Amino acid sequence: MAVSRVVEERPAPSELLGTEPRRQHVLDLDDFSAAEIEQTLETADAMAEVLGRQIRKVPTLRGRTIVTLFYEPSTRTRASFEQAGKILSADVINLTSSESSSRKGESLVDTARTLEAMGADIIVLRHSMSGAPYLVARHTSISVINAGDGWHAHPTQALLDLHTIKQRFKRIQGLKVVIVGDILHSRVARSNVWGLRTMGADVTLCGPPTLLPTDVLEAFGKAPGGLAIETDLDTALDGADVVMALRIQHERQTAGLLPSVREYIRCYQVNEERMGRAKETALVMHPGPMNDGVEISHGLAHGARSLVESQVTNGVAVRMALLYMLASPGVES
Amino acid sequence: MSASLLIRGGRIVDPANGIDAVGDLLVRDGRVAAVDTSGGLNAPEGTPELDARGLVVAPGFVDLHCHLREPGFEEKETIATGTRAAARGGFTTVCCMPNTHPAIDTRATVEFILGQARAEGAVRVLPVGAVTIERAGRELVDMSELAEAGVVAFSDDGMPVADAHLMRSALALSRVLGLPVMDHCEDQSLARGVMHEGRVATALGLGGNPAAAEDTMVARDIFLAELTGGHVHIAHLSTKGAVDLVRQAKERGLAVTAEVTPHHLTLTDETIAGRKGLDGGRHDGLAAGNAYDSNAKVNPPLRSQDHVDALVAGLRNGVIDAIATDHAPHTVVDKLCEFDLAEFGISGFETALGNVLALVHDGRIGLPALVERLTWGPARIIDVGRTGIGTLGVGAPGDVVLFDLDQEWVVDAESFASKGKNTPLDGRRLKGQVVATVVGGSVAHAARDTVMAHGR
């Protein structure tokens, strides 16, 4: 099997996948077990080894076609999927569309069916509306990877966040992770809540009450890790191991949800001073793109406690792992 | 509609007249001629008969709220298809909402609808006129002229009458005409989402509409009813807060009535989550678990169980006067898209009875009370004894439904008479089905040949 050269000293990824039936889609982390997340992260480690080689190319997905279908602008997610696919020797087609917010033009289902007819194996979908990947998964037989849908989910981001945390702390279980900012509109927060709690981390969501979703403690089901809500940042940061700042959108101000950016900074900016409440070993993360100096201070974002760059690097390895798990010819169930 | 018919041996449930007994019902020349629960009626030679043994015989259902889409949206539904669907659902009178194109805001449009209904309709059609021209919320329609043309109520349904001053005027003017204003109660500045605000919306990342968006508008309307003495009818009530407000208004003797849909009585917002793992478990092999089912997208939204429980209690104790379908047919294209982009609405005629009978089977409401909310309850709101619909009293129109309380069946949307196949109940098993629908003594729908006995 082609990929065995990738992982000489480790168990082969096909063994890592165990006996569970092969996954068809990656729509969210809500249906990932801890074991499956663990397998994904271990596969990502194997992929990182490929990334460290001089010639970064393996033939694993040769002859497979991956389409990135992006209805919303994105730099890092799209680029890292493309790079991941190309390193694995897949053919990668990039499609972007600006028609997502209207019903003009071809419908999403018709577009996906067209791609299916053209022989695409995987659609990597980014969409501004929650649930769009489920629509494609239901009406085509292609594998769908959710690269971010509306406010709902961003599972590959959450997996790379988990990978980054595990790399630094050697564990996820028992860590206190604080996610700060616009939780209401954040797909990154939602997927991280599923993933982190499944792996046994305790999650605290912190933000202004207008940007915290309703009934959030009831929304995410049972999991090994705890879930808490806190509107006071200093209290939330108490004893934190990881602090994840989320991008704040300026339109929240005009929508009547925030008085001003100035007020937001005053109450919710993650900065060096506030990090004094967290553990000494605490690190900060940001899914990007950052409003440098708004939700996170410039010094902190670019300093020694920042994991932002590792997040980007790990993004490629995690996405390689997922593409491999979905499309590798060697792991048919 | 001037036929004669003898319906034999059914359990006659006529709440308006306090009847719940096995007997015979005779319709002569389109009107109820006799009801006999003591031992057998004789009909003139040659009168056709229906064998209703084992079936419930009730007044034909009266639907205060449906969308027949004609004129303007005939790809979604027409008066012909919509009324055939109504007949299959046991409805003999339906009130069609004015969000057509053009809106029902002129005598000409009212007359067009009544003409189409006479020519092609399977059941009686009573138009609801718009409150404002083009339902734009700015200028009132010519209300007395529309009333004369035949509208039975006024509504800008789909939209609330957002301007309180206009609503006050509409209530004051409609009071003089003796007609209700049916308001779609929703503060749209608060209701910016696509589903009920709560744990499911949070998990799915969909915009939520809080119950308070309905409650505040219902409260406003009740105070305006008090101010004007007008009759406000709250359309498709969906919140426990609104049930409380209507109860208080009725206790104070105000002219406030309310309806609830079958789907708000039986489904919750969890329907939209499908099998998506709110409690874990892999779902990707299950066609993604039907999460984000746009056929469950409706306005007002399907709410949480506490609201559903309050609605059922309100229906049982009479705070809610009527069950209305809010039948809202849409094309496949209208629904086969992102949840945010999908149209609101459920095609409801053909599942209404089977859906609400679950409440009877579960012991949450008695059969006579349920039948009352489908017949005399709504009839009182629009008809006030004018034509006698909603009852089986002697002289009333010969509008009758025969249904099997216990027949189990599986919803197959593709088999609907309605053009709208949009239902979240597709594939579900329901218990209770319409067997025959009679309008003015003529059979408008019959599901079983065996029910058609031969005249003697």
Side-chain angles (χ1 to χ4, degrees):
Chain A
M1 193 174 69
V3 80
S4 61
R5 286 181 286 120
V6 177
V7 285
E8 277 147 89
E9 287 110 336
R10 302 172 196 276
S14 57
E15 288 166 32
L16 290 173
L17 291 175
T19 53
E20 277 204 67
R22 180 197 177 111
R23 170 171 286 279
Q24 193 190 352
H25 308 295
V26 179
L27 300 172
D28 193 2
L29 293 191
D30 61 346
D31 68 341
F32 271 70
S33 65
E36 198 177 8
I37 290 174
E38 201 64 62
Q39 287 159 9
T40 309
L41 301 187
E42 284 177 29
T43 309
D45 277 336
M47 296 301 172
E49 190 270 334
V50 176
L51 287 171
R53 292 181 189 179
Q54 243 179 344
I55 297 171
R56 296 191 292 172
K57 197 84 166 176
V58 290
T60 314
L61 298 187
R62 199 165 52 194
R64 299 284 168 145
T65 301
I66 295 164
V67 178
T68 67
L69 179 57
F70 275 56
Y71 285 88
E72 218 183 39
S74 156
T75 312
R76 68 196 72 205
T77 304
R78 202 197 56 70
S80 78
F81 267 112
E82 182 175 357
Q83 199 192 359
K86 286 181 170 168
I87 291 170
L88 294 170
S89 301
D91 295 307
V92 182
I93 298 169
N94 296 311
L95 297 175
T96 56
S97 171
S98 53
E99 285 174 348
S100 65
S101 57
S102 74
R103 293 178 65 188
K104 290 181 295 227
E106 192 175 49
S107 76
L108 174 60
V109 171
D110 283 346
T111 301
R113 284 175 177 163
T114 302
L115 297 173
E116 182 179 29
M118 287 164 56
D121 296 294
I122 295 182
I123 290 181
V124 176
L125 181 67
R126 161 67 65 91
H127 201 289
S128 62
M129 292 175 200
S130 298
Y134 292 77
L135 186 68
V136 174
R138 192 151 64 237
H139 294 286
T140 69
S141 56
I142 316 182
S143 282
V144 179
I145 297 181
N146 183 359
D149 65 324
W151 310 343
H152 168 243
H154 198 346
T156 66
Q157 175 72 43
L159 284 166
L160 76 86
D161 290 342
L162 290 168
H163 193 52
T164 306
I165 292 169
K166 179 135 191 250
Q167 231 168 27
R168 288 304 183 98
F169 290 88
K170 308 300 173 207
R171 65 184 171 110
I172 298 170
Q173 168 94 34
L175 295 179
K176 176 177 177 180
V177 181
V178 183
I179 306 178
V180 185
D182 183 359
I183 311 294
L184 175 61
H185 302 99
S186 176
R187 53 193 173 217
V188 174
R190 282 178 176 76
S191 285
N192 264 307
V193 167
W194 285 115
L196 285 163
R197 292 177 68 229
T198 299
M199 299 308 288
D202 294 319
V203 179
T204 299
L205 301 173
C206 179
T210 48
L211 296 178
L212 293 172
T214 310
D215 294 341
V216 68
L217 297 181
E218 291 78 40
F220 291 95
K222 290 193 180 76
L227 182 63
I229 289 283
E230 181 53 60
T231 51
D232 179 67
L233 181 56
D234 286 335
T235 308
L237 291 180
D238 208 25
D241 295 289
V242 177
V243 182
M244 210 178 274
L246 300 174
R247 180 180 173 79
I248 190 85
Q249 309 268 5
H250 288 276
E251 59 257 34
R252 304 302 170 223
Q253 192 184 330
T254 47
L257 293 168
L258 280 180
S260 68
V261 170
R262 182 172 165 271
E263 175 96 344
Y264 182 83
I265 291 172
R266 215 173 79 78
C267 299
Y268 294 103
Q269 185 190 67
V270 180
N271 56 35
E272 291 87 339
E273 190 196 332
R274 287 210 167 100
M275 283 298 284
R277 300 291 293 253
K279 284 191 187 152
E280 259 178 70
T281 51
L283 299 173
V284 295
M285 303 174 77
H286 193 298
M290 240 181 323
N291 295 305
D292 207 342
V294 180
E295 63 265 7
I296 187 166
S297 68
H298 178 83
L300 193 58
H302 300 276
R305 300 181 106 179
S306 171
L307 290 173
V308 173
E309 266 181 44
S310 308
Q311 287 175 275
V312 176
T313 310
N314 287 334
V316 178
V318 164
R319 284 163 182 138
M320 285 170 72
L322 292 170
L323 292 174
Y324 170 76
M325 288 162 67
L326 293 192
S328 159
V331 290
E332 291 286 358
S333 58
Chain B
M1 295 184 185
S2 59
S4 297
L5 193 64
L6 180 61
I7 300 169
R8 274 204 190 276
R11 173 182 170 188
I12 298 174
V13 178
D14 179 15
N17 293 298
I19 295 172
D20 180 1
V22 173
D24 300 341
L25 171 71
L26 177 66
V27 179
R28 193 187 293 147
D29 298 331
R31 295 202 165 263
V32 176
V35 175
D36 185 288
T37 56
S38 60
L41 267 181
N42 289 317
E45 187 107 354
T47 303
E49 285 187 18
L50 291 184
D51 179 0
R53 283 173 299 177
L55 303 179
V56 175
V57 176
F61 302 148
V62 177
D63 190 1
L64 293 177
H65 192 140
C66 74
H67 300 273
L68 297 181
R69 306 294 190 208
E70 188 179 355
F73 305 100
E74 291 83 355
E75 75 282 7
K76 294 177 192 277
E77 193 79 288
T78 63
I79 288 170
T81 58
T83 55
R84 277 215 309 282
R88 284 171 55 115
F91 295 91
T92 54
T93 299
V94 299
C95 301
C96 60
M97 284 293 164
N99 58 340
T100 47
H101 187 75
I104 309 178
D105 58 3
T106 62
R107 177 190 286 273
T109 309
V110 175
E111 287 174 350
F112 168 80
I113 288 167
L114 291 173
Q116 288 292 90
R118 269 193 305 275
E120 300 175 0
V123 304
R124 301 177 201 277
V125 175
L126 302 176
V128 174
V131 175
T132 63
I133 294 169
E134 294 176 350
R135 297 171 50 253
R138 287 191 293 272
E139 299 165 78
L140 294 173
V141 299
D142 290 346
M143 296 175 80
S144 73
E145 184 182 29
L146 291 196
E148 187 181 279
V151 305
V152 295
F154 298 95
S155 180
D156 276 354
D157 185 62
M159 299 280 284
V161 181
D163 184 308
H165 172 69
L166 264 184
M167 185 63 176
R168 174 189 184 173
S169 297
L171 281 167
L173 291 166
S174 66
R175 180 178 71 86
V176 178
L177 301 168
L179 301 181
V181 175
M182 300 176 160
D183 203 17
H184 168 117
C185 290
E186 178 183 43
D187 181 335
Q188 295 192 312
S189 67
L190 204 47
R192 299 173 176 205
V194 293
M195 68 175 291
H196 175 61
E197 182 175 307
R199 73 184 274 266
V200 181
T202 291
L204 295 181
L206 291 171
N209 289 344
E214 179 167 323
D215 302 342
T216 53
M217 198 62 107
V218 170
R220 183 205 72 170
D221 280 358
I222 288 171
F223 283 113
L224 292 177
E226 184 167 28
L227 178 65
T228 58
H231 175 179
V232 68
H233 175 76
I234 311 297
H236 42 53
L237 205 74
S238 74
T239 67
K240 56 186 174 184
V243 175
D244 264 350
L245 289 163
V246 170
R247 179 181 51 74
Q248 290 163 24
K250 288 189 164 184
E251 284 167 4
R252 283 158 56 209
L254 301 179
V256 174
T257 55
E259 70 189 29
V260 62
T261 72
H263 46 271
H264 288 109
L265 288 167
T266 53
L267 300 176
T268 68
D269 54 351
E270 307 278 336
T271 309
I272 297 166
R275 287 198 293 270
K276 187 179 189 301
L278 287 182
D279 297 305
R282 186 187 281 193
H283 49 69
D284 70 345
L286 307 168
N290 212 27
Y292 298 93
D293 180 5
S294 61
N295 284 325
K297 180 177 174 182
V298 64
N299 194 17
L302 300 178
R303 301 209 187 261
S304 50
Q305 190 65 50
D306 50 335
H307 292 287
V308 172
D309 291 343
L311 292 169
V312 172
L315 186 74
R316 184 174 56 238
N317 61 30
V319 167
I320 299 173
D321 301 85
I323 294 169
T325 64
D326 196 6
H327 173 75
H330 287 294
T331 67
V332 171
V333 175
D334 293 330
K335 288 288 194 178
L336 185 57
C337 56
E338 295 84 333
F339 194 90
D340 283 339
L341 297 180
E343 297 275 6
F344 290 99
I346 291 174
S347 180
F349 278 147
E350 290 162 81
T351 54
L353 179 68
N355 206 358
V356 293
L357 278 177
L359 305 177
V360 173
H361 294 304
D362 293 350
R364 283 178 287 168
I365 190 169
L367 181 67
L370 184 86
V371 169
E372 200 272 345
R373 310 297 185 263
L374 285 161
T375 57
W376 183 233
R380 273 181 304 182
I381 289 166
I382 46 157
D383 197 58
V384 204
R386 266 186 215 111
T387 65
I389 59 167
T391 81
L392 295 176
V394 171
D399 297 355
V400 190
V401 58
L402 281 62
F403 61 89
D404 184 332
L405 199 52
D406 298 312
Q407 184 190 337
E408 294 195 22
W409 58 290
V410 175
V411 178
D412 173 18
E414 281 308 310
S415 73
F416 281 1
S418 171
K419 287 189 181 184
K421 316 301 182 192
N422 49 302
T423 174
L425 297 173
D426 196 24
R428 285 222 200 176
R429 181 170 290 274
L430 299 181
K431 188 175 177 188
Q433 178 60 297
V434 174
V435 175
T437 305
V438 174
V439 180
S442 297
V443 176
H445 162 70
R448 296 180 195 164
D449 292 338
T450 50
V451 82
M452 299 293 293
H454 294 289
R456 292 173 301 160

